[in-house]
Amino acid sequence: MPPLMGIEFLCRVSDVLSDYLGGLNEDVIKDNFVIVYELLDEMIDNGFPLTTEPNILREMIAPPNIVSKVLSVVTGNSSNVSDTLPGATGSCIPWRAADPKYANNEVYVDLVEEMDAVINRDGALVKCEVYGEVRVNSHLSGLPDLTLSFANPSILDDVRFHPCVRFRPWESHQILSFVPPDGEFKLMSYRVKKLKSTPIYVKPQLSSDAGKCRVNVLVGIRNDHGKTIDSITLQFQLPPCILSADLTSNTGTVNILGNKTCSWSIGRIPKDKTPSLSGTLVLESELERLHVFPTFRVGFKIMGVALSGLQIDKLDLKTAPSRLYKGFRALTRAGEFEVRS
Amino acid sequence: MFPQFGATADTLSKASTMVFRIGTDAHLYDDPDDVSIAPLLDSKFDSEKCEALKRLLALIAQGIDVSNYFPQVVKNVASQSLEVKKLVYLYLLHYAEKRPNEALLSINYFQKDLGDPNPLVRAWALRTMAGIRLHVIAPLVLVAVGKCARDPSVYVRKCAANALPKLHDLRQEEHALAIEEIVGKLLNDHSPAVVGAAAAAFASVCPYNLSLIRRNYRKLCEILPDVEEWGQIALIGILLRYVIASHGLVKESIMFSLQCTGSSHSVKDGPDADFGQVKESTDMDGTCDYEFVNMVSRCYIEGPDEYLSRSSYANRESFELTGEQFTSGKSNDDVKILLYSTSPLLWSNNSAVVLAAAGVHWVMAPKEDVKRIIKPLLFLLRSSNASKYVVLCNIQVFAKAMPSLFAPYYEDFFICSSESYQVKALKLEILSSFATDSSISSIFKEFQDYIRDPDRRFAADTIAAIGLCAQRLPKMAHICVDGLLALSREEFVTKDFGFGDQEAGILTHAILSIKSIIKQDPPSHEKVIIQLVRSLDSVKVPAARAMIIWMVGEYSSLGEIIPRMLNTVLKYLAWCFTSEALETKLQILNTVCKVLVGATEDLLTFKKIFSYLVELAECDLNYDVRDRARFLKKLPSSNLVSIGQEEGTNDLPEKDLHVVAECILGRETRKVKTESFSYRFYLPGSLSQIVLHAAPGYEPLPKPCSLLLDDLNVPEGTSEIKKRAADYSGTDDYGTSSDPSDNESASDYDSQHSVAESSGSARGDDSEFTSEGNDNADPLIQISDIGNASENQNGVSQSGPANLGELMSDRALESWLGEHSGSSNPGISEQSQVRISSARISLGDVGKRVKPKCYSLLDPATSGNGLKVDYSFSSEISSMSHLLVCIEVFFKNCSSETISEITLVDEDSNRALDAADKAADVNQSCLASSDNVPTLVPMESIASLEPDQTARRIVQVRFHHHLLPLKLALYCDGKKLPVKLRPDIGYFVKPLPMDVEVFIDKESRLPGMFEYTRSCAFTDHIEELNKENGDSLFVKDKFLAICESLALKILSNANLCLVSIDMPVAANLDDASGLRLRFSSAILSSSIPCLITITVEGKCSDPLNLSIKVNCEETVFGLNLLNRIANFLVEPTLS
């Protein structure tokens, strides 16, 4: 078996389990061991994946929810194993449950982007790219056929699709044509490379002599998107040769954890001042100067904007039902955003 | 202070977690056996059964054996509730193998469920039934699978496909055909889900049976994008194999690029218009590393083990891809459709699918289209560390074979601090492998950052990578060296402060990189060496010091300044010698010695320093240093620079010893490959490519065009294998080296062939042999030269096995002979000379002439009432157990009356037991344990034997001892006759085919107490020779006759595999000394290899002196086998 297949399958199992159990840890698995057994039995057969489509699994083995829990407490009896074979197993669109009915037809499309950036020691932007996902949450009756098009598909460097996406329309016109699964799913993921700027800047300065190291880190907003940047955090690992650290900041809180990880959570950047972190690090006794430097990992969140600049042009439903509610959102987070010092 | 508050908080948090646990199965897990389970299982309420089963599952999860509930649980299979069923199935599968008999009870219920109207019930029943791995029910499961393969429900058909590998795993030969038939049917299914599962089944059940694919290749390609993702992975691999087996490689692809540069074969089909174009374009690119690509493509097709072992000796070219094995991707529709249908999969959400599709494009796509795999592969890099590593391993090979592919995307290989060390190291390796002049500056800028990384191991790797880049791009060498020098000076700051190995590692790597850069062009880096030497005082890391000192010795005569520095440097080294570490001390000794050897001036000082150092070293605490000192002292003092003590005692010329000294002191003339990159390649995406050895189940690509149109109906993979074997011998490169001028001797040998030819061909009657244009279909002897032949032969090395006749006319042989007579160098030992001038021959047909020896079991005259029973050991291997030996027994009725009811049984066993019953028992137990193997597998009895009629039976016997006879009872006409079966240790082994290289390698691992030798005389060949002399054949044939009679004798007496025959090509044609035969085998019971080498001494026409050597880990067995071989070699053949 190809190793990637194994890794990919394990990722699916963990996705499905955390979807069912609302988290994945030892306790949760112990508490729901029967469901875990049943799921695993359905997902893999003789070492080969059998049913991994979450929609079908959900129909075969009902996820635990409040109702079933209460029911089981009250009556002492509830089965989470379905008696009938989900119709979708046989269809050529196995991701879609057969014929759901909704009073309101809704489709929500979210662009969730993560920005990966590397800023080198000289402060130059070495790499800046966006890894994004188009997440769709659809509640549509019948067998809807959707088409989604972008205003500027040419900026996409590479894409990966949910199996529901038809390849040929994309190849010819860069149009996403698909029959969506029911509920929330990842329609596609994409990558936009070679972006020119980052929304915030981080300027670390470390100067060391005589067994001490002065640290000063400045964080600020580079160009205003008109949206507020939320939950800014800064994390870095103190080099092993540092004995003690004394760090203070003018906004937010600084924590130094046992494993020498230092985290500074700023939150929102205040209007009146530039957040800065400063302090001294005491080096090991023999050491004159610091010869290794930490890398700062930055976290942030911007609601309402996709930094890649990708824009959704329109979303159409071929067999239009009476009323269709469409919603669009965007969100950008920091991915592997690293500033070297 | 207030402990009670803490306690409250604790209980509160406990209580809050309890809330979340309400309604889950947590309580069942916490106290699974707080109620008694047995009554619950027998309850008539499904809910109670459910609870009991859940408790059992909890116990299983906690590692407690609850198999004692098995009978009660199995009863519940009949339950109507699906949840109960599911839980019972889980339990059942867990314990079925442990409790086979009780598991059988459930079969009836399964069969009932298979008829259930609910497809879910049918599918579950099938899955569970197939999951119970019992041989007894295999036929039932097969019927069930066959039925479900026609089920209207897609899900059930899919489960049927999934059940096939389970059935196949039971290894029951009789079902193999039926299983393959079902696979074929399911592959033809119209539902993509079923096809995916069928493809997976195909890959594990019958991967060779590509004719199944031929039937619906087009359909499979079209359906591929709709198949579910896991099936896609299997199906992509199958389709790729099929296309290669049926159409060969693609001319425009990377795999072909080498063949068009050098091989004469491809030029042959040159008129093709496409072809010329391709050649042009590759030249324009100029980006492929041809040799590398060639290696990769060969590894893909042959498997690296085979390829490397073969290429290590001379017949490297024996497997040549001929022009016919290529197809054009532009004109071949099958290739086109495969590429067309796999290209959208590069966008798949499943990374394994993307990699599999990329693999197809890598192998099959025209070169200019290969670049479409780049972006998808790079996209895969944004995932977990584990899959990142796997993808990088594959990218590494791609990038190495075609650096231009990934070079523009170097930024994607820049390193994030959050990545694991393995990923970082791989990225560095990739970066340094494709750095170009344009990208190198930004790569170096990155590298500079990495050097400051807190992970010092990674920083050290970065420095090594800088060295590699500088070697690849000589333009950058100066910049690199300067940077590294600065770095090494900077690191001195930290040198003393015990940061341990990591900082030391960085310094060592820096010096190592500098050293390797200097090596490329020493004169231009003279100043660097001087700077390094100057910094010697501040460098404290022993390994780094040793390297700098090595450079002093190595480049002592370089330029102007260094020779002048030597005096001071050596004095300094002598001064600090005592305080140095071991490796530095050794290096100082070497260097001083080297300087002394090469010095022209200042000799006196150097000599003084040297003798001072040697004196110091001789008193060193470390014995290595003492030894080195003594050795070096002897070397120069006695000869090269006459110090005076032992002058003139040596009669060897001074100059020679000078050379010796130079050689010993490590002038590195041979370039050692410093690259850590492995030269083993496996198919992209395979596990083997990650672990770099053939993982179980790995299969290289099939031979191009090995799937012939006529073998559509061949059931098993055997034909494929046979064909592979034929391919090897069939596509040999004849003709190019043969010299037609020497026709006379060639025809002589032809006549000799025709004598031997009558014995028939051992390797089948494939048409390939007729294409040789030679009228004898099978060469009797094949000669190829041995790999470690002396160097000057490499130019004329004979490639591949060739006819003896052709070889005789070959200049190569003449040059061997000439060289042999001419070489009279006393320095080389006799032994090595024999090895140098010997040829390897193989006897083509000896297997057919092997006649196993017959022993008498029952003599008709004495006790047999006219029944004659003979037996001989068969070379068959028992399929039931490795402890059993197959014996062929011949019955003959020599009396005038009919003899009835003949059977042979173990004396101790009870005859009342029905033979058939017992056979079934054996069948079952043979896998389970070796203790149950009976002494004698009951044979099919002979109902009656007419006068003069003969019958033949194969019996399988388990001998308890290698030497002691086994007592059996022969029943005939109701009478019991005791007989004794004598074991022959020669048949307690099975042939173990292997290469000579493997043989020698194995042999070298079994030295000393695992090696036993005996010598004996051999006379059989004399008779043979006399016979042949009558036929007025050539003198040279004596060797052949000896080989044949010896091999025949051994193969008729023991079940061995002839590995090779080494024949001396000596001046004296009557001297058989040096003839060496190698046989290999494995012990039946333990599969331990047992290697036999027979070396011949003496004249051809006289009795020969054989020395037999057995290498075997099992001492007693090996000795017994050795004695047996010696015994039968001595006794004359009965003719």
Side-chain angles (χ1 to χ4, degrees):
Chain A
M1 188 174 72
L4 263 191
M5 183 170 157
I7 295 169
E8 185 81 30
F9 177 75
L10 290 176
C11 291
R12 294 292 167 86
V13 170
S14 92
D15 285 352
V16 167
L17 286 183
S18 36
D19 181 37
Y20 263 72
L21 311 176
L24 195 58
N25 56 49
E26 192 183 336
D27 287 335
V28 164
I29 288 181
K30 271 185 190 165
D31 290 353
N32 298 286
F33 71 100
V34 176
I35 286 189
V36 173
Y37 266 118
E38 286 168 351
L39 276 175
L40 287 179
D41 183 56
E42 196 51 50
M43 290 184 78
I44 194 159
D45 184 20
N46 191 37
F48 195 79
L50 181 66
T51 311
T52 48
E53 189 51 51
N55 276 310
I56 298 181
L57 284 174
R58 225 172 278 139
E59 270 185 71
M60 278 182 155
I61 299 152
N65 54 31
I66 300 288
V67 181
S68 74
K69 279 179 184 175
V70 171
L71 205 67
S72 78
V73 171
V74 176
T75 64
N77 164 29
S78 83
S79 164
N80 57 356
V81 179
S82 148
D83 280 350
T84 51
L85 184 70
T89 51
S91 80
C92 51
I93 37 170
W95 53 85
R96 184 158 181 89
D99 217 17
K101 289 269 189 295
Y102 291 100
N104 302 322
N105 286 305
E106 307 166 314
V107 189
Y108 298 99
V109 182
D110 292 355
L111 292 181
V112 181
E113 301 198 331
E114 286 186 9
M115 176 174 261
D116 292 1
V118 174
I119 294 160
N120 74 3
R121 198 151 287 142
D122 311 333
L125 193 62
V126 173
K127 182 169 98 170
C128 183
E129 58 188 44
V130 159
Y131 168 84
E133 288 175 0
V134 181
R135 298 190 153 274
V136 177
N137 195 354
S138 85
H139 299 284
L140 299 169
S141 319
L143 204 66
D145 197 333
L146 292 169
T147 49
L148 178 70
S149 60
F150 297 107
N152 47 355
S154 57
I155 64 164
L156 298 178
D157 188 66
D158 196 33
V159 287
R160 290 170 78 178
F161 297 126
H162 188 273
C164 70
V165 177
R166 301 189 184 95
F167 294 123
R168 302 300 167 204
W170 175 262
E171 240 173 342
S172 49
H173 304 104
Q174 268 88 53
I175 288 172
L176 292 169
S177 159
F178 58 100
V179 176
D182 209 30
E184 198 180 333
F185 68 101
K186 187 170 90 182
L187 178 68
M188 78 182 255
S189 46
Y190 57 88
R191 208 159 74 134
V192 179
K193 285 173 71 175
K194 298 211 159 91
L195 293 175
K196 292 287 179 286
S197 68
T198 55
I200 62 173
Y201 66 85
V202 175
K203 286 188 175 151
Q205 285 179 323
L206 281 88
S207 58
S208 58
D209 67 304
K212 289 242 165 66
C213 177
R214 289 236 12 111
V215 182
N216 187 29
V217 188
L218 290 177
V219 178
I221 297 174
R222 176 158 282 140
N223 44 1
D224 214 348
H225 294 271
K227 308 274 178 189
T228 47
I229 303 180
D230 259 336
S231 44
I232 300 175
T233 58
L234 197 70
Q235 260 200 353
F236 61 100
Q237 186 85 32
L238 293 173
C241 56
I242 280 168
L243 282 183
S244 66
D246 174 30
L247 298 168
T248 51
S249 65
N250 60 357
T251 32
T253 52
V254 183
N255 281 315
I256 300 179
L257 303 175
N259 56 356
K260 287 193 174 172
T261 306
C262 177
S263 72
W264 176 26
S265 47
I266 302 167
R268 256 179 223 194
I269 291 185
K271 286 258 177 342
D272 50 342
K273 57 186 171 185
T274 313
S276 78
L277 175 79
S278 57
T280 48
L281 308 174
V282 180
L283 308 183
E284 272 181 15
S285 53
E286 303 95 341
L287 215 59
E288 189 85 346
R289 288 198 323 210
L290 202 61
H291 65 288
V292 293
F293 297 97
T295 301
F296 296 85
R297 287 198 303 281
V298 183
F300 61 82
K301 198 163 100 179
I302 310 174
M303 299 295 290
V305 66
L307 282 181
S308 66
L310 186 72
Q311 281 166 353
I312 292 174
D313 187 30
K314 60 181 175 191
L315 176 70
D316 289 330
L317 187 61
K318 262 190 197 152
T319 51
S322 50
R323 239 178 303 132
L324 173 68
Y325 180 73
K326 295 184 268 192
F328 301 96
R329 277 187 306 185
L331 163 71
T332 302
R333 283 194 296 251
E336 301 279 346
F337 196 113
E338 291 190 352
V339 181
R340 300 192 186 125
S341 59
Chain B
M1 207 193 255
F2 302 103
Q4 66 271 32
F5 286 131
T8 328
D10 206 27
T11 38
L12 265 177
S13 76
K14 254 189 196 163
S16 70
T17 52
M18 279 308 286
V19 173
F20 289 114
R21 299 181 71 185
I22 287 173
T24 65
D25 299 314
H27 64 288
L28 299 175
Y29 191 86
D30 292 341
D31 309 294
D33 39 9
D34 62 346
V35 290
S36 86
I37 293 172
L40 283 177
L41 278 174
D42 292 334
S43 151
K44 57 179 189 278
F45 300 110
D46 280 343
S47 61
E48 286 186 357
K49 283 180 183 171
C50 240
E51 191 188 332
L53 286 163
K54 284 179 179 176
R55 283 174 193 278
L56 285 177
L57 270 185
L59 287 167
I60 292 176
Q62 287 163 22
I64 298 161
D65 183 1
V66 287
S67 58
N68 50 328
Y69 291 100
F70 202 97
Q72 282 169 292
V73 174
V74 165
K75 266 192 320 196
N76 288 315
V77 170
S79 161
Q80 284 305 308
S81 155
L82 258 83
E83 185 169 28
V84 173
K85 261 192 209 299
K86 181 110 194 161
L87 294 171
V88 170
Y89 289 162
L90 283 173
Y91 179 94
L92 201 64
L93 286 180
H94 197 259
Y95 284 116
E97 260 172 293
K98 216 168 176 182
R99 315 278 294 237
N101 291 330
E102 281 108 326
L104 291 179
L105 296 175
S106 58
I107 297 299
N108 277 335
Y109 294 113
F110 287 132
Q111 290 196 305
K112 209 178 106 218
D113 277 358
L114 283 173
D116 198 281
N118 186 347
L120 199 58
V121 174
R122 295 198 298 268
W124 282 358
L126 181 69
R127 279 177 61 193
T128 317
M129 194 168 159
I132 302 175
R133 285 152 199 265
L134 294 178
H135 286 258
V136 193
I137 62 161
L140 295 175
V141 178
L142 189 66
V143 172
V145 171
K147 200 175 129 204
C148 289
R150 292 187 302 269
D151 199 280
S153 160
V154 172
Y155 187 70
V156 176
R157 292 206 299 274
K158 190 173 154 189
C159 288
N162 271 330
L164 289 169
K166 300 183 198 172
L167 262 181
H168 178 73
D169 283 349
L170 295 176
R171 306 253 166 247
Q172 290 186 319
E173 292 300 321
E174 65 268 29
H175 296 147
L177 258 180
I179 293 176
E180 280 181 37
E181 199 180 310
I182 299 174
V183 170
K185 196 193 300 170
L186 289 171
L187 273 177
N188 210 8
D189 201 283
H190 57 83
S191 163
V194 180
V195 173
F202 177 90
S204 73
V205 171
C206 50
Y208 295 109
N209 194 357
L210 291 172
S211 50
L212 272 183
I213 304 296
R214 180 197 298 278
R215 275 183 233 147
N216 32 32
Y217 172 76
R218 289 293 165 94
K219 211 200 99 201
L220 288 175
C221 280
E222 277 156 18
I223 214 172
L224 180 63
D226 297 325
V227 170
E228 46 128 29
E229 46 197 338
W230 313 109
Q232 279 174 347
I233 301 168
L235 192 53
I236 290 172
I238 295 167
L239 292 175
L240 175 64
R241 276 165 206 279
Y242 167 75
V243 169
I244 290 194
S246 65
H247 299 289
L249 295 172
V250 177
K251 232 179 250 167
E252 293 88 352
S253 74
I254 290 185
M255 295 299 124
F256 184 69
S257 54
L258 180 96
Q259 273 78 21
C260 68
T261 56
S263 140
S264 57
H265 278 289
S266 348
V267 177
K268 249 190 333 202
D269 61 352
D272 195 335
D274 281 348
F275 176 73
Q277 209 181 336
V278 171
K279 192 167 177 181
E280 219 166 79
S281 71
T282 53
D283 286 346
M284 267 156 56
D285 280 355
T287 44
C288 273
D289 186 344
Y290 289 118
E291 202 174 326
F292 189 87
V293 172
N294 182 34
M295 204 148 56
V296 172
S297 71
R298 270 150 197 271
C299 279
Y300 284 168
I301 292 170
E302 296 178 55
D305 296 312
E306 204 176 292
Y307 170 63
L308 291 175
S309 70
R310 203 164 44 66
S311 62
S312 61
Y313 53 98
N315 56 347
R316 191 171 187 129
E317 295 302 316
S318 72
F319 166 70
E320 188 68 51
L321 294 166
T322 58
E324 296 83 61
Q325 284 171 315
F326 286 96
T327 178
S328 167
K330 285 175 187 154
S331 57
N332 190 312
D333 287 344
D334 277 1
V335 175
K336 260 199 274 184
I337 195 173
L338 176 64
L339 291 174
Y340 179 75
S341 56
T342 48
S343 56
L345 299 184
L346 291 170
W347 293 328
S348 170
N349 219 3
N350 186 320
S351 50
V353 175
V354 176
L355 189 55
V360 170
H361 281 254
W362 174 246
V363 176
M364 299 302 285
K367 262 178 144 180
E368 55 274 16
D369 286 351
V370 172
K371 57 178 180 292
R372 59 194 309 176
I373 70 172
I374 302 170
K375 283 182 176 178
L377 282 178
L378 292 177
F379 204 159
L380 295 186
L381 290 181
R382 207 184 184 289
S383 47
S384 69
N385 264 327
S387 36
K388 217 185 251 184
Y389 180 77
V390 173
V391 176
L392 281 172
C393 280
N394 287 291
I395 289 183
Q396 191 187 24
V397 177
F398 298 158
K400 197 114 187 164
M402 204 171 164
S404 61
L405 214 54
F406 286 95
Y409 299 89
Y410 60 91
E411 280 177 354
D412 284 292
F413 297 95
F414 285 170
I415 284 145
C416 279
S417 62
S418 54
E419 284 162 340
S420 71
Y421 169 71
Q422 285 78 8
V423 170
K424 287 177 182 170
L426 256 180
K427 279 190 169 179
L428 276 181
E429 221 170 290
I430 295 172
L431 273 177
S432 56
S433 74
F434 63 48
T436 58
D437 287 332
S438 56
S439 61
I440 191 75
S441 59
S442 34
I443 292 180
F444 271 159
K445 221 171 236 166
E446 276 288 300
F447 281 180
Q448 278 169 20
D449 281 2
Y450 300 158
I451 292 171
R452 304 275 172 234
D453 196 277
D455 183 354
R456 300 318 274 163
R457 193 160 50 135
F458 165 56
D461 283 353
T462 307
I463 292 166
I466 293 176
L468 278 180
C469 285
Q471 284 173 56
R472 265 177 49 86
L473 305 165
K475 277 185 210 163
M476 303 303 291
H478 280 283
I479 301 171
C480 289
V481 169
D482 289 347
L484 290 170
L485 265 183
L487 176 74
S488 62
R489 253 181 254 127
E490 218 172 291
E491 295 293 337
F492 301 155
V493 184
T494 61
K495 73 209 177 244
D496 282 343
F497 315 119
F499 268 116
D501 305 336
Q502 298 193 319
E503 299 303 327
I506 287 180
L507 185 57
T508 315
H509 271 284
I511 305 279
L512 192 67
S513 291
I514 295 176
K515 185 180 125 186
S516 56
I517 295 170
I518 290 178
K519 212 192 229 163
Q520 286 197 317
D521 183 19
S524 64
H525 295 291
E526 191 192 344
K527 292 222 172 83
V528 179
I529 301 173
I530 295 165
Q531 284 187 29
L532 278 179
V533 172
R534 283 213 180 123
S535 65
L536 204 52
D537 201 23
S538 53
V539 177
K540 291 285 186 278
V541 180
R545 271 181 86 82
M547 257 181 291
I548 297 176
I549 295 167
W550 178 86
M551 277 189 261
V552 173
E554 184 70 17
Y555 305 112
S556 59
S557 54
L558 187 81
E560 304 247 305
I561 308 165
I562 299 175
R564 274 185 270 151
M565 287 170 67
L566 284 175
N567 200 333
T568 329
V569 175
L570 292 194
K571 274 181 192 161
Y572 163 75
L573 291 178
W575 169 71
C576 61
F577 183 80
T578 44
S579 57
E580 296 289 354
L582 171 63
E583 56 184 321
T584 323
K585 277 179 181 170
L586 291 174
Q587 206 50 256
I588 291 177
L589 284 173
N590 281 0
T591 296
V592 173
C593 215
K594 262 194 232 176
V595 170
L596 198 53
V597 167
T600 47
E601 43 198 63
D602 271 343
L603 263 184
L604 204 64
T605 331
F606 293 156
K607 270 182 219 162
K608 268 188 200 157
I609 294 171
F610 178 70
S611 49
Y612 169 72
L613 276 174
V614 166
E615 260 174 56
L616 273 182
E618 274 182 326
C619 309
D620 199 90
L621 283 174
N622 187 291
Y623 53 83
D624 270 347
V625 177
R626 293 199 301 271
D627 283 355
R628 180 75 60 94
R630 280 188 212 114
F631 167 70
L632 291 175
K633 184 182 166 189
K634 270 283 180 291
L635 200 63
S637 68
S638 62
N639 44 65
L640 131 105
V641 273
S642 31
I643 284 183
Q645 299 102 315
E646 298 168 52
E647 199 178 355
T649 49
N650 212 321
D651 50 351
L652 279 170
E654 199 173 276
K655 201 180 166 198
D656 275 5
L657 276 165
H658 192 106
V659 173
V660 170
E662 286 229 336
C663 291
I664 291 169
L665 292 175
R667 297 261 167 203
E668 287 186 28
T669 45
R670 270 199 321 172
K671 205 181 164 204
V672 185
K673 274 193 183 121
T674 47
E675 276 176 294
S676 61
F677 198 82
S678 143
Y679 284 99
R680 308 171 74 82
F681 303 102
Y682 297 88
L683 287 176
S686 64
L687 177 61
S688 308
Q689 178 57 40
I690 309 304
V691 296
L692 291 178
H693 62 77
Y698 176 79
E699 278 294 327
L701 288 177
K703 293 276 174 300
C705 301
S706 55
L707 186 67
L708 302 172
L709 281 166
D710 51 71
D711 65 4
L712 258 169
N713 295 319
V714 182
E716 190 65 28
T718 48
S719 73
E720 177 78 12
I721 293 159
K722 262 188 230 149
K723 217 163 345 56
R724 282 189 177 198
D727 271 348
Y728 274 130
S729 41
T731 54
D732 289 339
D733 189 356
Y734 287 94
T736 48
S737 58
S738 74
D739 187 350
S741 71
D742 219 338
N743 268 333
E744 200 181 339
S745 67
S747 61
D748 287 335
Y749 276 83
D750 276 351
S751 70
Q752 187 259 317
H753 282 139
S754 50
V755 174
E757 185 193 320
S758 56
S759 53
S761 123
R763 284 183 300 163
D765 48 357
D766 278 29
S767 59
E768 274 136 348
F769 285 109
T770 55
S771 66
E772 287 168 24
N774 203 338
D775 55 350
N776 58 334
D778 182 25
L780 177 67
I781 305 175
Q782 299 182 334
I783 296 200
S784 56
D785 61 349
I786 294 174
N788 45 14
S790 62
E791 288 155 348
N792 59 350
Q793 287 172 25
N794 283 345
V796 286
S797 68
Q798 170 79 12
S799 58
N803 271 352
L804 179 63
E806 281 169 348
L807 191 95
M808 279 305 290
S809 63
D810 193 352
R811 291 202 189 94
L813 186 59
E814 286 167 16
S815 79
W816 281 341
L817 297 171
E819 184 230 31
H820 175 74
S821 56
S823 72
S824 55
N825 193 340
I828 304 165
S829 73
E830 195 62 34
Q831 175 62 32
S832 68
Q833 220 177 66
V834 169
R835 280 189 62 78
I836 282 169
S837 55
S838 65
R840 186 159 291 152
I841 64 175
S842 58
L843 301 172
D845 63 342
V846 82
K848 289 269 166 161
R849 293 202 264 156
V850 166
K851 258 187 248 135
K853 204 171 164 186
C854 233
Y855 302 88
S856 165
L857 188 65
L858 196 66
D859 197 339
T862 53
S863 56
N865 337 354
L867 180 66
K868 180 174 185 252
V869 186
D870 287 338
Y871 68 94
S872 70
F873 286 89
S874 150
S875 56
E876 277 176 53
I877 310 295
S878 165
S879 56
M880 287 166 62
S881 160
H882 53 264
L883 295 171
L884 295 170
V885 179
C886 290
I887 295 173
E888 238 179 328
V889 186
F890 305 92
F891 299 86
K892 186 177 182 195
N893 190 350
C894 298
S895 69
S896 50
E897 286 152 22
T898 310
I899 301 173
S900 58
E901 283 290 325
I902 308 168
T903 184
L904 197 60
V905 295
D906 184 6
E907 197 179 41
D908 307 327
S909 76
N910 188 2
R911 213 204 155 207
L913 200 65
D914 188 39
D917 240 38
K918 219 171 140 194
D921 266 8
V922 170
N923 253 331
Q924 262 184 41
S925 58
C926 64
L927 280 179
S929 77
S930 57
D931 297 333
N932 296 347
V933 178
T935 312
L936 177 75
V937 177
M939 67 167 223
E940 196 187 327
S941 66
I942 301 167
S944 73
L945 205 62
E946 299 293 332
D948 272 333
Q949 198 189 353
T950 56
R952 175 179 159 273
R953 287 286 183 275
I954 301 261
V955 288
Q956 301 188 12
V957 184
R958 179 188 177 205
F959 287 98
H960 297 286
H961 193 272
H962 302 321
L963 305 172
L964 301 180
L966 189 70
K967 286 181 187 163
L968 298 176
L970 183 79
Y971 287 91
C972 69
D973 285 335
K975 277 178 289 182
K976 178 187 172 187
L977 303 164
V979 289
K980 276 185 182 175
L981 201 61
R982 292 182 191 284
D984 185 343
I985 195 167
Y987 288 92
F988 286 108
V989 291
K990 58 185 176 202
L992 181 69
M994 60 170 82
D995 251 349
V996 194
E997 311 302 314
V998 182
F999 185 97
I1000 291 169
D1001 179 35
K1002 278 210 162 100
E1003 189 181 32
S1004 64
R1005 277 187 224 157
L1006 293 168
M1009 57 182 292
F1010 299 129
E1011 187 174 280
Y1012 335 99
T1013 347
R1014 244 186 93 167
S1015 50
C1016 69
F1018 184 69
T1019 52
D1020 273 16
H1021 65 286
I1022 298 176
E1023 193 188 317
E1024 196 86 353
L1025 282 180
N1026 289 339
K1027 210 165 60 187
E1028 290 200 6
N1029 274 345
D1031 294 356
S1032 77
L1033 275 168
F1034 280 87
V1035 208
K1036 186 76 166 55
D1037 294 338
K1038 284 179 184 172
F1039 285 110
L1040 181 62
I1042 292 170
C1043 290
E1044 253 182 38
S1045 52
L1046 198 56
L1048 209 56
K1049 181 116 189 189
I1050 288 170
L1051 293 179
S1052 330
N1053 280 289
N1055 199 6
L1056 305 175
C1057 169
L1058 177 59
V1059 175
S1060 77
I1061 302 173
D1062 284 358
M1063 186 176 73
V1065 183
N1068 188 350
L1069 290 176
D1070 202 26
D1071 192 354
S1073 302
L1075 192 65
R1076 181 171 296 163
L1077 287 84
R1078 295 193 176 93
F1079 298 88
S1080 64
S1081 60
I1083 299 174
L1084 270 182
S1085 55
S1086 54
S1087 292
I1088 293 173
C1090 200
L1091 312 173
I1092 297 124
T1093 313
I1094 295 177
T1095 315
V1096 180
E1097 287 286 330
K1099 297 226 155 118
C1100 288
S1101 43
D1102 296 338
L1104 295 168
N1105 197 9
L1106 304 182
S1107 103
I1108 311 155
K1109 192 177 78 174
V1110 173
N1111 293 66
C1112 179
E1113 249 174 74
E1114 216 173 282
T1115 323
V1116 180
F1117 189 91
L1119 277 172
N1120 284 333
L1121 183 63
L1122 177 65
N1123 289 339
R1124 170 75 192 136
I1125 293 173
N1127 286 342
F1128 70 63
L1129 281 174
V1130 171
E1131 63 184 54
T1133 316
L1134 307 162
S1135 47

